[in-house]
Structures are given as C-alpha cells and as structure tokens.
Amino acid sequence: MRTLAVFCGSAVGVNPIYSSIAVALAEELARREMSLVYGGGGVGIMGVLADAALARGVPVYGVIPAHLEEKEVGHKHLTRQEVVPSMHVRKARMAELADGFLALPGGVGTLEELFEVWTWGLLGLHGKPVAMLDVEGLFSPLIAAVDHLTAQGFIRAPDRDFLLHGADLPDLLDRMAAWERPTTFKWMRSVEET
Ligand code: AMP
C-alpha cells in the first residue's frame, strides 16, 4: 500500500484527540514512506492532517471539486491539488489514485465517502482495503448499527468484515497492508444462492 486515501472531517470535533490522531497518521505515513490522497480541504481534521503530513515530507495530493475550491476552503500548499468538476468525479479520482481507504473522525461527508468505497469494494469495482479508525469510541455506535443490520439479514457477514476497523492506528494500517481482496463478490454470492 503506497498511497492512502483518507476521508475525514471538515471540522476538528470537540476533543483534541481527534486532531492528535491526524498527526499520528501523518507520522505513520512518513515512517512507512507512503503518500496521502485526500479531499484537498484546508479546514478541520483535513487541514490538520495535510499540514502534519507536509511537515514530515509526505507527498500530499488533494482532489477538490471546483465549487469548494472557489469558496477558498481548498488547501493552498499541497504537493498537488487537482480541481475536478464534481463530488462524483472527486470520489472516482481518489479511488483511482489510492491503494487503500481510511476514515478518520468526521461527519456526513466522511461517512458518505467511506460507505461508497465500501459498496464499490463489495461489488468488485475495486480490490483495495477499506478501514475506519475508531478513535475514543467515536464510531462504536456506527459499528454497532452495522452489526445490527448484519444480524437482521441486511448485510452479509463477509460484507461486514470487508470493512476493517480498530482503535490502534499502526495495527489497522498493518492489517490494511496485509489485506487480500475476496475472491467472490456480493452479486456473485447472491447469484450462487438463488
Ligand atoms: P464532513 O465529514 O461532513 O466534515 O466532510 C468531510 C469530507 O467531505 C471530506 O473527506 C471531504 O472530502 C469533504 N468535504 C467537506 N467539506 C469540505 C471542504 N470544506 N473542503 C474540502 N472537502 C470537504
């Protein structure tokens, strides 16, 4: 895994640990000689992560839609900032550039991006690891909801397990690096069972 796509908040959240984890991720990326792809924002956890990564010599690629860049929320000092026409093109471009996807603390935008790449993975549209870092239990209620949907028969156990999660950042990155794509996909399993 050479290039990591990170989805994270345009806010910093109420607990300083959310920003600390972004700095810890920047340190891990530098130590592992990896590059970062992210939404290109200069605000919130996004800005903290990009600044911390740049300060440690990590190449940082932003992919930002024109309407956000125009509002001057784009980061101005990235290794490369790609301005794209829409949110849809942004997600496709980030997926193309990255070898794996990680969600840090964030809100609706973060979850939307995470759930989309998770869905794409389940459909076999990519074979890259998708993970969520559960800082201080921030995402625990969400993980519980996913488990509930699995128990109720709306998410298959292998599809739930496709989404890696954990609270230990180095361990999660190691698991992402060691991850192997499943040999069957959601629609194939459905077809087999019918
Ligand atoms: P949220 O989690 O709702 O704060 O949204 C963060 C995610 O949405 C990021 O991963 C970005 O891709 C996108 N996003 C939201 N706000 C901005 C912004 N001001 N600049 C760039 N990207 C943004």
Side-chain angles (χ1 to χ4, degrees):
M1 202 171 51
R2 307 282 3 130
T3 303
L4 182 70
V6 175
F7 309 129
C8 58
S10 53
V12 290
V14 299
N15 188 336
I17 195 163
Y18 303 137
S19 291
S20 307
I21 203 73
V23 175
L25 176 59
E27 281 164 5
E28 282 294 329
L29 293 175
R31 194 172 69 77
R32 294 167 192 248
E33 298 181 4
M34 291 173 66
S35 307
L36 169 69
V37 175
Y38 84 117
V43 294
I45 302 287
M46 281 189 285
V48 174
L49 173 64
D51 288 341
L54 289 167
R56 287 161 181 79
V58 173
V60 181
Y61 305 109
V63 185
I64 194 162
H67 75 278
L68 285 176
E69 173 72 351
E70 281 159 15
K71 283 182 193 147
E72 293 189 331
V73 289
H75 197 293
K76 302 292 176 216
H77 307 288
L78 302 181
T79 312
R80 197 177 75 211
Q81 177 77 288
E82 221 173 289
V83 181
V84 293
S86 68
M87 298 293 273
H88 288 98
V89 174
R90 168 205 253 176
K91 283 185 286 183
R93 183 69 182 133
M94 287 176 73
E96 201 173 79
L97 291 170
D99 303 314
F101 310 93
L102 175 66
L104 290 191
V108 176
T110 301
L111 296 183
E112 188 271 334
E113 290 165 331
L114 176 75
F115 276 77
E116 180 147 11
V117 291
W118 184 12
T119 307
W120 288 357
L122 298 184
L123 295 173
L125 299 177
H126 70 73
K128 301 171 182 180
V130 179
M132 185 164 71
L133 186 69
D134 189 21
V135 181
E136 294 277 302
L138 178 71
F139 290 134
S140 296
L142 185 66
I143 294 164
V146 167
D147 285 341
H148 181 62
L149 291 172
T150 307
Q152 292 303 308
F154 289 105
I155 300 177
R156 310 170 62 86
D159 296 344
R160 176 200 54 199
D161 296 343
F162 192 104
L163 176 68
L164 305 174
H165 60 86
D168 182 327
L169 176 61
D171 172 68
L172 190 58
L173 291 172
D174 288 346
R175 284 195 280 137
M176 290 180 78
W179 185 87
E180 286 179 16
R181 68 183 299 174
T183 49
T184 58
F185 299 106
K186 191 178 162 69
W187 66 272
M188 292 178 186
R189 282 196 294 274
S190 306
V191 167
E192 279 160 14
E193 280 174 12
T194 53

